[in-house]
Amino acid sequence: MCTILAIESSCDDTSAAIIQDGRILSNVVSSQIIHQKYGGVVPELASRAHQGSIVPVVNAAFSEANIRKSQLNAIAFTQGPGLLGSLLVGNSFAKAMALGLNIPLIAVDHLQAHMAAHFIDAPQLQLPMLCLLVSGGHTLLVQMDANLAFTFLGRSTDDAAGEAFDKAAKILDLPYPGGPLIDQYAQNGNPYRFNFPEPQISGLDMSFSGLKTAFLYFIRDHVAINPNFIQENMADICASYQHRIVIYLLQRLKKASKLSQIKTIGLAGGVAANSYLRKKLMETAQELNWELHIPSFQYCTDNAAMVAMAAHFKYLKADFAGQDCTPFTRSSL
Ligand code: KG4
Ligand code: ZN
């Protein structure tokens, strides 16, 4: 029997999960609300909040799973990429606990963990898979082969898709993180009312910063004519902006599938929670005969269960880390 405790602390969620023989027994997430009033994650506040919540979160993961520390075979943690101060909390905690219990340590890449999340709900998933990873920090098109090996096919050269949502929300004076709110307002809006420009970048790479600037000018110009423009048109603004992002992501995914000839498609990261993206992706999958995998919502946003799943595969290969491993802020993959 193989039982692993996994810890995720790369950004503003403190999370701990227990996995036993590839099955998730608990997944506890504590999200930090302190950042809301600042309109984005404040790194120093994030690491302090991790320090405060890591012990109760880990204890909750043990009691929810009904597992004792003495039953553990390994401790896993997110090594990076992420905020250094945040990563250090999970990293130090995992190292100390592994040392105390005299069991191996497993270092997991956060992006690899997002991809591994697909195996929680679909253990029989056949690789290769083409995965669109869309979060607040990353927008990537990745080919995942056996043993969780990766090939990056495309990435955003500037803002991540989640940032494009959050920054537009900030322009609309909505609180952070604005992505879910744009999704909510858009439900009652017309996605074809306003036309936002398609980002111009070749190949499979993506860009969102031009779109954000176009959005900023669009709002500024309309508010100059009608100060109530946002309030009067909130639903249509959100629906049209969201439509542009989603259609752009799908267009890239279709292109990547055509080039790689891969029809097993995965979606990961916090933006995978977007209802319009899910709807459009399901329509496209039906139309193009794709086998679509979207992890359940709790495994899409940052969580330790996905770290645990990646760690499970690493444990089977005896891929362990030393006490001298250090966090990294950019992906090593
Ligand atoms: O994966 P995640 O929890 O954290 C990072 O690793 O970044 O993703 C958070 C991002 C935020 O930008 C948030 O606004 C976005 O995911 N997000 C959404 C939705 N839910 C979360 N964006 C659009 N629509 C949503 N429903
Ligand atoms: Zn993430």
Side-chain angles (χ1 to χ4, degrees):
M1 192 158 283
C2 157
T3 310
I4 304 170
L5 164 71
I7 292 161
E8 155 66 32
S9 72
S10 65
C11 192
D12 59 343
D13 295 302
T14 317
S15 180
I18 309 253
I19 190 168
Q20 191 165 58
D21 292 335
R23 206 166 58 85
I24 298 296
L25 300 185
S26 64
N27 180 40
V28 178
V29 183
S30 165
S31 298
Q32 305 173 357
I33 46 167
I34 190 161
H35 309 286
Q36 266 180 4
K37 60 182 170 208
Y38 299 101
V41 177
V42 184
E44 176 61 23
L45 295 180
S47 55
R48 285 175 192 226
H50 281 303
Q51 277 186 315
S53 50
I54 189 129
V55 173
V57 165
V58 168
N59 283 339
F62 275 114
S63 56
E64 211 172 281
N66 201 16
I67 290 285
R68 281 168 282 112
K69 293 181 180 70
S70 57
Q71 290 175 267
L72 290 183
N73 298 98
I75 302 200
F77 67 98
T78 301
Q79 191 181 9
L83 301 170
L84 191 61
S86 292
L87 289 164
L88 271 168
V89 178
N91 186 315
S92 319
F93 186 95
K95 278 182 186 174
M97 198 162 172
L99 201 61
L101 294 172
N102 196 24
I103 53 176
L105 197 58
I106 303 176
V108 172
D109 185 291
H110 182 79
L111 303 181
Q112 202 161 31
H114 269 301
M115 311 286 171
H118 288 96
F119 288 93
I120 300 175
D121 296 325
Q124 305 306 330
L125 176 67
Q126 293 294 312
L127 297 172
M129 177 170 77
L130 197 60
C131 185
L132 176 66
L133 169 56
V134 271
S135 73
H138 306 277
T139 300
L140 301 166
L141 263 170
V142 182
Q143 178 174 331
M144 180 159 65
D145 293 297
N147 285 328
L148 296 189
F150 286 75
T151 314
F152 286 113
L153 304 178
R155 66 178 80 213
S156 172
T157 55
D158 41 56
D159 291 349
E163 266 180 294
F165 274 104
D166 296 339
K167 287 180 177 175
K170 201 170 178 181
I171 293 167
L172 296 173
D173 223 10
L174 298 173
Y176 175 85
L181 292 168
I182 292 197
D183 188 356
Q184 243 174 3
Y185 279 111
Q187 316 245 339
N188 302 314
N190 173 4
Y192 303 101
R193 166 95 185 275
F194 303 113
N195 198 9
F196 294 106
E198 183 180 336
Q200 297 297 318
I201 184 163
S202 61
L204 289 173
D205 280 341
M206 291 160 268
S207 163
F208 291 95
S209 68
L211 178 60
K212 176 203 64 195
T213 310
F215 184 77
L216 177 69
Y217 290 156
F218 167 85
I219 295 293
R220 194 192 59 186
D221 294 349
H222 280 81
V223 168
I225 299 164
N226 171 13
N228 295 323
F229 176 74
I230 295 178
Q231 292 80 345
E232 287 169 10
N233 299 282
M234 190 63 126
D236 288 348
I237 296 170
C238 290
S240 303
Y241 183 73
Q242 174 179 267
H243 175 76
R244 165 47 69 219
I245 294 177
V246 167
I247 296 304
Y248 181 54
L249 290 171
L250 285 181
Q251 182 250 343
R252 282 300 194 260
L253 197 49
K254 282 191 217 170
K255 198 169 169 180
S257 168
K258 204 169 170 189
L259 286 171
S260 64
Q261 296 285 305
I262 298 173
K263 284 180 165 244
T264 302
I265 308 291
L267 179 69
V271 182
N274 185 268
S275 57
Y276 194 66
L277 175 58
R278 283 173 175 252
K279 177 173 169 265
K280 288 286 174 195
L281 186 53
M282 282 176 201
E283 285 171 12
T284 308
Q286 222 164 22
E287 185 191 316
L288 299 177
N289 220 3
W290 285 352
E291 183 189 312
L292 185 61
H293 293 276
I294 308 179
S296 54
F297 177 61
Q298 57 169 330
Y299 303 135
C300 281
T301 51
D302 285 352
N303 68 89
M306 65 182 193
V307 180
M309 197 70 236
H312 170 75
F313 292 120
K314 286 195 154 200
Y315 185 88
L316 297 180
K317 291 190 287 174
D319 184 354
F320 301 127
Q323 281 283 335
D324 57 350
C325 72
T326 49
F328 54 82
T329 53
R330 288 181 175 272
S331 182
S332 57
L333 295 168

